[in-house]
Amino acid sequence: MITAGIDAGSRAIKIVLFDIQRQTVFATAVCDQGTNQKVRARRLYDNLLRENGLGHKAIRTLVATGYGRHMLDFCDTTVTEISCHAAGVLHHVSDATTVIDIGGQDSKLIRVGADGKVRDFVMNDRCAAGTGRFLEVVSQRLNIPLDALGPAAERSEHPAKISSMCVVFAETEIIGLLAGGQSCENIIAGVQRSIAQRTVAMGGKDIAPPVVFTGGVALISGMKEALERLLELPVNICPAPQFTGALGASILAAKYET
Amino acid sequence: MMECSNTNNNSNCPQSCINSRFDSMIENCCEYAERAREAGKPIIGIMCEYTPRELIMAAGGIPVCLCGGSEEKIAPAENDLPTALCPLIKSTYGYCCTQTNPFLEMSDLLVAETTCDGKKKMYELMARRKDMMVLELPQKPDAPHAMDHWLSELRRFRSFLETRYDRKIADAGIWKAIETMNLERALRRRLAEMNKQTPSVWSGLQLLAYKSIISGIDEDLEEYRRLIACGANAAGSEKQSCVRVLLTGVPTVHGAERVVEIIENAGGAVVCMENCTGIKPLLEDVSMDASDPMEALASKYMHLPCSVMTPNTRRLEILRRLADEYDAECVIELVWQGCLTYDVESYYVRQIAEEMSLPYLKLVTDYSPSDSARIALRVEALMETALRAQA
Ligand code: SF4
Ligand code: SF4
């Protein structure tokens, strides 16, 4: 029996088909979000089924999650990304206690109880400074591609101090740092530390291991280390972190009857 | 995802309680206030639940609540006030500086208290336009001198009204006003307490709508009675599968109901509101046993558990009790951006929720709808957590 999860995020649409009996991922697909999320998601889903020789009836339940979840009216139900990320992470790391999810415009910290249920969560408010958006801004401003940020940060000797509470002002701050002769390496490391600080601060003092890091930003090298330094705890990157939400949705789909 | 029968248009209820006299509350109050003014009664604006409406009524005045719930009034207020201030303060002031609140324009006098710093300083600016009486509210409610001081402030208020309106306020007149206010509180309390049962009778939005910015209007009291009867007939007629929410924190005044709406659209049933637009001011009546009505008033109002008090242990006791009595399945705390006292106090509220194993969510926002989708996401996730905790 196969279920499906679609994560309509702020940057990309991700789909996971999940084999319930075998408890394994059956197939995945991803595409950019584009302007018409609903049409793109539908096309991506249809193609994925076709490529795998599946008809629509072969999918028992289809769950939508992510920022655009309510737009995908061809899905059976919606579940928030908070529950989905927790479920997705637990599939890989069954004893995860803290889930840190940093995406394109959100960052979340989810605490999971011993019973595998979400105990409590916090999210960034109106500001994007603690999210992936901040890394994009730096990458554009310094003209260094996203995937080269990590190696650059590793060369930093004194991460710059970035204190702005808002992405727009932080960008001004970066311009000031550049003008003051700071190296790109120190600025990148400073930005990564600032994102990590923002995320850790949301959780207060109550962050218990095992800590699992997920979301698109987990793929950017240097971020895991920045979190580890602040938490003084090992941080595990969730396998295929960009798919955690969709995976969780497909797993939770098994619990909803259509 | 959730099937919920208890949304804004409470399907438990017959049409007769969905259509209520309170649908045209502002119009009703406008008409009432204008008639009163023609009859020579002064309109007196109040902005906080610490003001004893009874004294104003005994002086022949009409107390009207002037708290602002409109986002539109915030920008004009920011010409004079800092952006970081609580939206409730800014909106109230915005009405004042744009001269757009008919009740404020009609007011002969404003009554204010020393509650939070933001209000206190805003009142100074507001006092440039209207005469204002500021009552000094002690903030350590259980300190030995607190009650004496509050009582002397209320006595000062009474003689101020006597001089200003050139009439003697007799004790008998105060007792009569107390009786009216106690009756109104009792009726509103009965209405709110109907939600102790499962399924609840009213949505949070309905309860918010079933009140008036002017107290003691006969037709309103009649309407409360009608709604109580109506709710009693409709009760329990439908299966309910939503999450029972205890909402606490700042008041959601007329026009600022957005968060309650978001919660109820996301599958929550706001069964109880522990705030100044909910049950908080209704929990205690003015005692009719005392020999001095002023002492009875001082005692009731001094006990109001607002976060400006320190320590505000009464609120925490009440929260525990309400969570229990209303069978709450989660606690949502609303804090207006810039409201330091409720923001800090949320520390204890979270603790209580954890002690009671109730999922807890704190929302810090203002009147602008720009974060509605983000709030909805968090509320939906809380509902999922609460439902899974039951499962
Ligand atoms: S919350 Fe406090 S300051 Fe605001 S109306 Fe209530 S008692 Fe007054
Ligand atoms: S919500 Fe807070 S800051 Fe705003 S008026 Fe009430 S106590 Fe003051």
Side-chain angles (χ1 to χ4, degrees), chain B residues 11-68:
Chain B
S11 45
N12 287 354
C13 285
Q15 202 61 25
S16 55
C17 46
I18 293 172
N19 298 328
S20 153
R21 164 181 159 82
F22 293 113
D23 293 347
S24 41
M25 184 271 286
I26 295 292
E27 292 85 339
N28 298 342
C29 286
C30 239
E31 213 175 280
Y32 184 88
E34 252 151 27
R35 249 185 294 128
R37 205 164 53 143
E38 277 158 25
K41 293 182 168 180
I43 307 299
I44 299 181
I46 64 175
M47 287 160 287
C48 171
E49 286 298 329
Y50 280 107
T51 314
R53 290 176 171 85
E54 288 89 340
L55 280 181
I56 298 173
M57 289 153 85
I62 307 291
V64 186
C65 172
L66 301 179
C67 289

Side-chain angles (χ1 to χ4, degrees), chain A residues 142-221:
Chain A
L142 303 180
N143 216 353
I144 297 178
L146 274 176
D147 51 11
L149 290 181
E154 273 159 35
R155 292 193 297 274
S156 159
E157 292 180 347
H158 301 286
K161 241 186 111 183
I162 315 263
S163 46
S164 291
M165 298 292 273
C166 141
V167 173
V168 179
F169 291 145
E171 194 173 355
T172 321
E173 204 178 344
I174 291 168
I175 296 169
L177 288 170
L178 281 171
Q182 272 287 8
S183 70
C184 291
E185 286 80 5
N186 284 345
I187 293 176
I188 294 166
V191 166
Q192 293 201 336
R193 190 175 62 182
S194 136
I195 296 175
Q197 265 166 345
R198 203 58 63 77
T199 311
V200 170
M202 283 194 312
K205 41 191 180 330
D206 184 17
I207 295 182
V211 180
V212 182
F213 185 19
T214 181
V217 171
L219 288 173
I220 295 174
S221 60

